[in-house]
Amino acid sequence: MALTAGIVLAGTVAAAQAAPAAPATPECGPLRAAAAHRAVPAAAAPGDGQVPEASYAATSARKVSFTVANAQAPIGLWSKAALTLRTPVAKGTVRLDLASRGFSTDSVTVQRYVPAKHTWVDLDSRPGSGSWPHRGTLTFPVSAKDASPRHPHSVALRFQDLDRPGRLTVNASVTDGHGRTLRAPARTVIATRPQVSVSGWQGTPSLARGGAAQTFTLKVRNTTNRTYPALNVNYFAYGAGKQHALTPKDLLLQQYRPGRGWEKVNLTAGGCDPGMGAALRPGKRALAPGATAVYRLRLSVAKSAPRDVVRADSGVSVNNGDQSFFSRRLLFAIHGK
């Protein structure tokens, strides 16, 4: 897909899939993932190079331009970008006016690289209006007294979408502190993510204590043009009755691994109170563009599970490092003696 290069910007926390209604019971583990805004050392960020390159095929005829290294902005990955000046600016301010379609402008974050500190820092942002804003503004200071067409000044940027697929248009401008405003052409970028599906789990199945397992499959196909370097899939579960709650010994989760057959996945208490979760195998697996990862699972309830727990909330989430880009709840009932 040929798309105009652009830049994406600003925000807070993500919901990774078209989010379901909030559950009556607490969500566990991976579904509580959130992105914290802070200054991040350059070497610590996933997907980062050492010293970022600050220009990506910028048009030399423009006094100010924005460019990105990739026309796609896969959710959960840092994407490189740059602001380039070819005219002197002293104590200037860069302003980025955002307009989104399909997601909130508050759900994307952008940072600039500060070479003197070897650190990425967040841009100053003005939150969009409303609970689901489609417009927002970002700013950061810039000073380039010696910038010229022969000696352009570039600021390395990076951005990361934290929400859902959609389209973002950015109008960029620079004020030089002396009443002059330089404007760059509007740019549009596409936010995308891998295609994830869950099959074999319909509605709210009823599992018998000590009975047969419910088998289901999760598939992750990387439909983006970027490699996901640290693909992780997590399972979580929660269930409580009037007097008791499910614990790891009450559920049996198994994963099928080629050449090994069905293997038990150890559930660990934690993530919510009470609750349990587990990372599926293999963890931290890179997923190249066009590649597919398949997770075959089956879940059963132990005969000794508490009798007063008759419904449970479980689910899966897929993430790259700490950032989740898909989640699905898998509710089930429990019956039998």
Side-chain angles (χ1 to χ4, degrees), residues 166-250:
R167 184 183 299 266
L168 188 76
T169 299
V170 180
N171 286 278
S173 61
V174 179
T175 57
D176 63 0
H178 300 287
R180 184 177 63 155
T181 299
L182 305 173
R183 301 185 185 279
R187 302 296 186 187
T188 298
V189 69
I190 301 299
T192 185
R193 67 180 170 203
Q195 184 182 76
V196 185
S197 63
V198 177
S199 60
W201 194 287
Q202 300 295 327
T204 305
S206 184
L207 305 183
R209 295 179 183 84
Q214 175 72 33
T215 302
F216 58 104
T217 300
L218 181 143
K219 291 183 180 181
V220 184
R221 182 171 181 266
N222 189 357
T223 50
T224 78
N225 63 2
R226 297 269 303 280
T227 295
Y228 273 75
L231 183 69
N232 295 292
V233 177
N234 296 281
Y235 175 85
F236 68 91
Y238 168 88
K242 293 181 178 181
Q243 295 181 323
H244 303 90
L246 295 178
T247 63
K249 66 180 178 59
D250 299 320

Side-chain angles (χ1 to χ4, degrees), residues 85-92 142-148 151-154:
L85 288 169
R86 298 175 189 81
T87 189
V89 171
K91 296 182 180 180
V142 65
S143 183
K145 297 180 181 180
D146 300 323
S148 68
H151 302 284
H153 175 84
S154 291

Side-chain angles (χ1 to χ4, degrees), residues 7-8 68 73 77-81 109-110 157-161:
I7 184 169
V8 184
V68 292
L77 296 181
W78 286 108
S79 297
K80 296 179 181 179
T109 189
V110 67
L157 302 167
R158 68 179 185 181
F159 59 89
Q160 183 176 180
D161 180 21

Side-chain angles (χ1 to χ4, degrees), residues 3-336:
L3 300 171
T4 306
I7 184 169
V8 184
L9 328 158
T12 57
V13 163
Q17 173 83 333
T25 52
E27 290 182 329
C28 306
L31 291 187
R32 288 184 170 178
H37 288 273
R38 60 189 183 277
V40 181
D48 239 13
Q50 294 299 314
V51 177
E53 298 177 8
S55 180
Y56 301 100
T59 304
S60 59
R62 295 285 178 184
K63 291 182 178 180
V64 59
S65 61
F66 282 96
T67 49
V68 292
N70 195 308
Q72 289 190 17
I75 294 172
L77 296 181
W78 286 108
S79 297
K80 296 179 181 179
L83 162 78
T84 302
L85 288 169
R86 298 175 189 81
T87 189
V89 171
K91 296 182 180 180
T93 300
V94 177
R95 173 173 170 146
L96 305 167
D97 292 302
L98 318 179
S100 65
R101 178 180 298 177
F103 56 90
S104 164
T105 52
D106 287 346
S107 68
V108 186
T109 189
V110 67
Q111 297 179 333
R112 66 184 176 94
Y113 185 71
V114 181
K117 297 181 179 180
H118 304 287
T119 299
W120 291 97
V121 298
D122 290 347
L123 302 190
D124 293 331
S125 63
R126 183 187 307 165
S129 61
S131 59
W132 190 264
H134 292 290
R135 294 186 180 277
T137 300
L138 290 158
T139 60
F140 64 94
V142 65
S143 183
K145 297 180 181 180
D146 300 323
S148 68
R150 289 190 176 184
H151 302 284
H153 175 84
S154 291
V155 179
L157 302 167
R158 68 179 185 181
F159 59 89
Q160 183 176 180
D161 180 21
L162 304 176
D163 195 352
R164 64 190 69 199
R167 184 183 299 266
L168 188 76
T169 299
V170 180
N171 286 278
S173 61
V174 179
T175 57
D176 63 0
H178 300 287
R180 184 177 63 155
T181 299
L182 305 173
R183 301 185 185 279
R187 302 296 186 187
T188 298
V189 69
I190 301 299
T192 185
R193 67 180 170 203
Q195 184 182 76
V196 185
S197 63
V198 177
S199 60
W201 194 287
Q202 300 295 327
T204 305
S206 184
L207 305 183
R209 295 179 183 84
Q214 175 72 33
T215 302
F216 58 104
T217 300
L218 181 143
K219 291 183 180 181
V220 184
R221 182 171 181 266
N222 189 357
T223 50
T224 78
N225 63 2
R226 297 269 303 280
T227 295
Y228 273 75
L231 183 69
N232 295 292
V233 177
N234 296 281
Y235 175 85
F236 68 91
Y238 168 88
K242 293 181 178 181
Q243 295 181 323
H244 303 90
L246 295 178
T247 63
K249 66 180 178 59
D250 299 320
L251 297 179
L252 175 60
L253 179 67
Q254 294 177 299
Q255 179 179 354
Y256 183 84
R257 302 189 67 193
R260 301 187 183 186
W262 290 101
E263 296 181 345
K264 180 181 178 181
V265 178
N266 292 321
L267 295 168
T268 303
C272 62
D273 186 20
M276 64 194 84
L280 303 181
R281 310 181 188 94
K284 298 183 179 180
R285 170 181 174 179
L287 194 66
T292 300
V294 179
Y295 298 81
R296 292 180 58 195
L297 303 165
R298 63 186 185 190
L299 177 71
S300 58
V301 179
K303 188 175 182 179
S304 59
R307 301 297 185 268
D308 60 322
V309 180
V310 296
R311 290 183 65 87
D313 191 354
S314 72
V316 289
S317 72
V318 186
N319 67 76
N320 180 68
D322 293 329
Q323 178 54 51
S324 175
F325 59 83
F326 173 90
S327 63
R328 178 176 165 182
R329 292 172 63 193
L330 304 172
L331 304 176
F332 63 95
I334 303 175
H335 72 277

